[in-house]
Amino acid sequence: MSTAQEIRATLEPVLAPLGLVVEDVSVSPAGKRRLVRVLVDSDIADLDVADTTSAVPPLSLDAVADATRAVSDELDASDVMGESPYVLEVSSPGVGRGLTSRDQLRRQVGRLVEVAHQGGSDTGRLVEVGADSLTLEVAATKKTPARRLTLELDTVHRGTVQVEFKRSDADTDPDLGPDVETDADPDTDESDETSALEGDH
């Protein structure tokens, strides 16, 4: 078992009471130390299986801060990192991170997502993620009318959340809040990523 796998196994039971899951763990050299990055996200295992359309709120800064403290305390208390010093970074997945699992996609209901699938690639509002399929509302273009596209999950390769500069009133979902405006660069934006950096251990 690799160090990253050991860290994941160590942290999963610690984060579960906080309503969080470990999305990814990476360990990389950083000078004389190692950099340990832990990605956490909301645990949606208790979400009603019949609920395929409600929005899942993104993690707050407070939730990530709580996770950081729990992760730091557990790693310090365990011997999984050995005696070598390390720097810990705990964060939630940012915009642009690939969505490959059903749970990752389910957390993005209500958002604009580009989906790469066996038939090509489509971008639309993710309105539903069920046990075996997802549904996109694809906006009209000059050449094609608006349409609703349903894809089987086993045909989906990857999803990517798209940065939205402006949503029209017609697109605003009352459950998701008012229009969203941002001047972020869509290629580098990590506005949805909250992170906390711990000192040397």
Side-chain angles (χ1 to χ4, degrees), residues 83-142:
E83 298 298 322
S84 300
Y86 64 93
V87 176
L88 173 66
E89 182 181 319
V90 179
S91 61
S92 63
V95 170
R97 182 171 177 82
L99 310 169
T100 55
S101 72
R102 187 264 176 191
D103 281 0
Q104 289 172 345
L105 290 161
R106 177 63 185 84
R107 293 187 188 100
Q108 306 307 322
V109 165
R111 305 192 69 176
L112 191 67
V113 178
E114 179 183 4
V115 177
H117 53 90
Q118 286 181 4
S121 178
D122 288 278
T123 299
R125 186 78 48 200
L126 186 59
V127 295
E128 183 172 7
V129 177
D132 303 307
S133 65
L134 63 78
T135 301
L136 289 174
E137 284 190 350
V138 181
T141 67
K142 291 181 179 179

Side-chain angles (χ1 to χ4, degrees), residues 110 112 125 137-140 164 166-174 176-179:
L112 191 67
R125 186 78 48 200
E137 284 190 350
V138 181
E164 296 186 73
K166 176 73 175 174
R167 286 181 63 181
S168 68
D169 291 337
D171 287 340
T172 302
D173 186 322
L176 299 175
D179 292 357

Side-chain angles (χ1 to χ4, degrees), residues 45-65:
D46 291 336
L47 199 62
D48 190 335
V49 293
D51 179 2
T52 59
T53 60
S54 66
V56 176
L59 291 185
S60 66
L61 281 168
D62 287 343
V64 176

